[in-house]
Amino acid sequence: MKVSIIIPVFNVEKFVAQTLDSVLSQSYEDIEVVIVDDCGTDSSMQIVQSYKDSRIKVVSNGTNRGLFYSRQSGFEHATGEFVMFVDSDDLLEKDAVEVSLKAALEKSAQMVAFNFEFFRDGQRNVGSNLPNEFFETNEKFVRFLYGRKQHYTSCCAVLYGREFLQQVFSALPRFEHKLLMWEDSFFNFFVYSFAERVVLLSDVFYLYRYNPKSITTTRDVESWQRAREDCKFVLEQFRANKEKAHPKVYKFFVMEREREMAGDTKAFLKKTGQLKFTDILAFKKAKLVYSFRRFLRFRFGV
């Protein structure tokens, strides 16, 4: 039973060897590592090419297309019955594939999600806190997610069945916009709406690296502006694909992205000296509305 592990690579020369080592040293050996060259400018791909493991397959985007496109491209070249995504600066624990695959086969699951932690300079911090659970229907899975204060939006700390992932990618709209942020949220909008048989594991198998130079942590004016643009684009896509989504998934994702959009806009206006008193009042009002809607979701499931 082959598992394809898809790793988009773009300007990660400092970390990509660690990522590859963690993937290639999995206790479950029947894996295929699909490296997607997203055409960076450093020595990342030379490092990848130095590995002589026959399980590595390299494909190229031809030009820089971004993480979201690269994952789709990697899937099109993957041949495994199950699929994982790993970012090229992150790490997989040694038993990640073996344990999650066993759970998937035992429950005939479409996806198996497990916990992740953040790490930096040898220090690890709590990320997600999934319990051990199994959901036989999409309705039960969505009800569980909808009532949680901590929402799970990673698409990396998951093992997917190939047929299920094909269903998700078939539903995803094709577009030329290069997403730099919110790609996991956009992807999971469809995953959470379609998943029927889902296993959750409390084990921590995925380690997210804290990278101070990434777009999600480098908050200059340009980054704030790009965050606003991507968030606006994703919100538009949510609304355009409302009919494909579970109603509660749609409601939750739109509500959360509207909150993020407001936060990014406020930060951008403040950074550029454009924040007015009327803006502050509007943002406070939006925050109160969000808090009330969040309370209703947790307390009454509406």
Side-chain angles (χ1 to χ4, degrees), residues 215 218-229 268:
I215 191 169
T218 306
R219 290 307 204 180
D220 53 21
V221 172
E222 184 180 350
S223 296
W224 284 119
Q225 177 63 15
R226 186 53 197 262
R228 292 172 67 212
E229 292 173 0
F268 174 78

Side-chain angles (χ1 to χ4, degrees), residues 164-212:
F164 170 65
L165 207 52
Q166 182 64 64
Q167 178 189 6
V168 172
F169 277 123
S170 296
L172 286 171
R174 294 287 180 172
F175 49 79
E176 292 301 317
H177 184 95
K178 185 171 75 173
L179 278 176
L180 296 183
M181 299 184 69
W182 311 122
E183 67 279 346
D184 283 12
S185 179
F186 182 57
F187 181 75
N188 281 329
F189 178 78
F190 295 90
V191 169
Y192 295 170
S193 294
F194 297 163
E196 291 290 344
R197 297 179 63 82
V198 180
V199 173
L200 306 182
L201 300 177
S202 62
D203 306 82
V204 176
F205 285 139
Y206 195 93
L207 301 180
Y208 274 106
R209 185 186 302 273
Y210 175 81
N211 183 355

Side-chain angles (χ1 to χ4, degrees), residues 41-258:
T41 57
D42 69 0
S43 62
S44 295
M45 289 311 300
Q46 289 93 316
I47 294 171
V48 170
Q49 297 289 358
S50 71
Y51 282 76
K52 304 306 178 184
D53 196 306
S54 62
R55 296 174 296 176
I56 296 177
K57 175 193 294 186
V58 177
V59 298
S60 176
N61 286 338
T63 186
N64 177 241
R65 303 297 297 270
L67 185 60
F68 189 76
Y69 180 93
S70 296
R71 287 172 178 163
Q72 294 186 73
S73 176
F75 177 70
E76 291 171 359
H77 290 87
T79 61
E81 290 89 349
F82 290 87
V83 177
M84 275 186 179
F85 298 109
V86 174
D87 287 346
S88 52
D89 55 354
D90 296 336
L91 304 177
L92 270 185
E93 295 284 21
K94 188 177 182 65
D95 297 332
V97 174
E98 181 177 1
V99 175
S100 57
L101 179 60
K102 180 181 178 182
L105 295 175
E106 286 179 349
K107 298 293 187 179
S108 298
Q110 292 180 327
M111 61 178 279
V112 177
F114 40 86
N115 282 312
F116 59 83
E117 289 182 344
F118 298 99
F119 77 102
R120 179 186 185 184
D121 300 329
Q123 300 295 317
R124 291 169 59 158
N125 297 305
V126 174
S128 58
N129 63 343
L130 295 177
N132 290 310
E133 291 282 358
F134 172 59
F135 303 96
E136 296 179 326
T137 66
N138 179 255
E139 192 62 39
K140 291 180 180 179
F141 177 51
V142 170
R143 192 182 309 132
F144 167 80
L145 292 173
Y146 197 71
R148 283 173 60 82
K149 291 186 177 181
Q150 185 198 55
H151 204 65
Y152 191 83
T153 56
S154 171
C155 71
C156 286
V158 183
L159 176 75
Y160 303 93
R162 180 181 184 82
E163 291 183 3
F164 170 65
L165 207 52
Q166 182 64 64
Q167 178 189 6
V168 172
F169 277 123
S170 296
L172 286 171
R174 294 287 180 172
F175 49 79
E176 292 301 317
H177 184 95
K178 185 171 75 173
L179 278 176
L180 296 183
M181 299 184 69
W182 311 122
E183 67 279 346
D184 283 12
S185 179
F186 182 57
F187 181 75
N188 281 329
F189 178 78
F190 295 90
V191 169
Y192 295 170
S193 294
F194 297 163
E196 291 290 344
R197 297 179 63 82
V198 180
V199 173
L200 306 182
L201 300 177
S202 62
D203 306 82
V204 176
F205 285 139
Y206 195 93
L207 301 180
Y208 274 106
R209 185 186 302 273
Y210 175 81
N211 183 355
K213 294 184 178 181
S214 72
I215 191 169
T216 56
T217 52
T218 306
R219 290 307 204 180
D220 53 21
V221 172
E222 184 180 350
S223 296
W224 284 119
Q225 177 63 15
R226 186 53 197 262
R228 292 172 67 212
E229 292 173 0
D230 281 0
C231 196
K232 179 181 178 182
F233 176 81
V234 168
L235 270 169
E236 291 171 350
Q237 290 297 319
F238 286 165
R239 292 174 177 129
N241 291 275
K242 181 178 180 179
E243 298 304 316
K244 297 179 182 179
H246 187 290
K248 286 187 175 179
V249 171
Y250 174 81
K251 183 177 181 180
F252 170 82
F253 274 87
V254 169
M255 183 174 75
E256 291 297 319
R257 291 295 73 78
E258 286 178 342

